[in-house]
Amino acid sequence: GISPRESEARWIATEVMAAALAAVDPAQALHRHVRREGDRLQVDDRVYDLNRYRRIYVVGAGKAGAPMAAALAGLLGDRITAGVVNVKRGHTATERTWQVRLGAGGGEARETIPSLRLGEKGEERQPLLHPRIALVEAGHPVPDEAGRRGAERIRDLLTGLRPDDLVFCLLSGGGSALLPLPADGITLADKQALTGALLRSGATINEMNAVRKHCSQIKGGQLARWVEPATLVCLILSDVVGSPLDVIASGPTVPDPSTFADAWAVLERYHLTESAPPAIIAHLQKGLAGAARETPKPGDPAFARVQNVLIGDNGQAALAGVARARALGWQAELVTTWLEGEAREVGRVAAAL
């Protein structure tokens, strides 16, 4: 068994971690930033009069796509015209409970975040998301054909929009792999091979996304081009340190500061210029020569009617954990939200504090 002191420490840790996770629960995070009163929908400091819009679409990608879409559908109801959201295979539950446990024998979790609905035999029951929103299960972290078909459905849905249309885009962790729509001449197999090589090389998420954006029709602000001239509201749940919006899900709705030259430099840095698929090499070289269109940059008219809202990130989670620790009587401080590195090394630093 464990000593009373260790038992208390585990209990405190589970309480703090549970509070942190609750702060970034997808549905709760969305409801903190999006509220509806009658025909007025407020998203942070902007108000949208729903009567001004002929059609409302919901699209997106990410591992939290289902609960985010369910929360938004609960606000918009039958105002929704249609929607397609790509999610990781097996991540279709719109409501979920999780528990925090520590140790192999695991002190019992003292906090359970509600909403997993269990049947009589314990199986998870999937409540209806919305009759007009399709969830597409796809591969992650390596993109697959299902993800490509889902991305094509999103592109088709957003084709031919008008100024009186409103589009909501829901992005969360894994969104980049779950929105694979290769540039002309590049196959999904090419992108799969490149993704695998970048993962094995040790490239950072920023480096991987610079390459992904320039091999894609949708990433790096290019989804915003599809939506123009309609209005676009993107709700973002971050899983990236620092939450740079151009990195989360490879930034399909925000300006892209990276260039074809940056993408090529990543391949050179990890010695992939000889082994990367020839179609990708050819496409990047076309971009370097100015023969392929660059991703949209800050100031591009594609972003004139776009609102990007970060609804949750690790900073919010950490602050909630600090608040819970203080409520339990501890002197708690937030040291950093930029922690990266090998767990064994970081653990030594944390212990030294």
Side-chain angles (χ1 to χ4, degrees), residues 315-335:
Q316 295 178 27
L319 288 171
V322 167
R324 182 60 180 148
R326 289 174 177 170
L328 293 173
W330 288 80
Q331 181 180 335
E333 299 294 337
L334 177 55
V335 176

Side-chain angles (χ1 to χ4, degrees), residues 179-188 190-192 194-195 198 207-220 222 250 256 258-260 263-264 267 276-285 287 292-295:
L179 276 180
L181 194 60
D184 290 341
I186 298 175
T187 67
L188 183 60
D190 291 333
K191 287 203 72 174
Q192 289 170 329
L194 179 63
T195 299
L198 288 168
E207 291 172 327
M208 289 182 64
N209 284 348
V211 179
R212 284 167 160 172
K213 291 173 184 179
H214 289 87
C215 296
S216 172
Q217 298 181 45
I218 189 170
K219 297 174 172 61
Q222 296 180 90
S250 294
D256 176 26
S258 71
T259 63
F260 275 105
W264 184 257
L267 298 192
I280 288 178
I281 297 297
H283 179 73
L284 293 181
Q285 289 181 336
R293 190 181 186 186
E294 253 294 0
T295 50

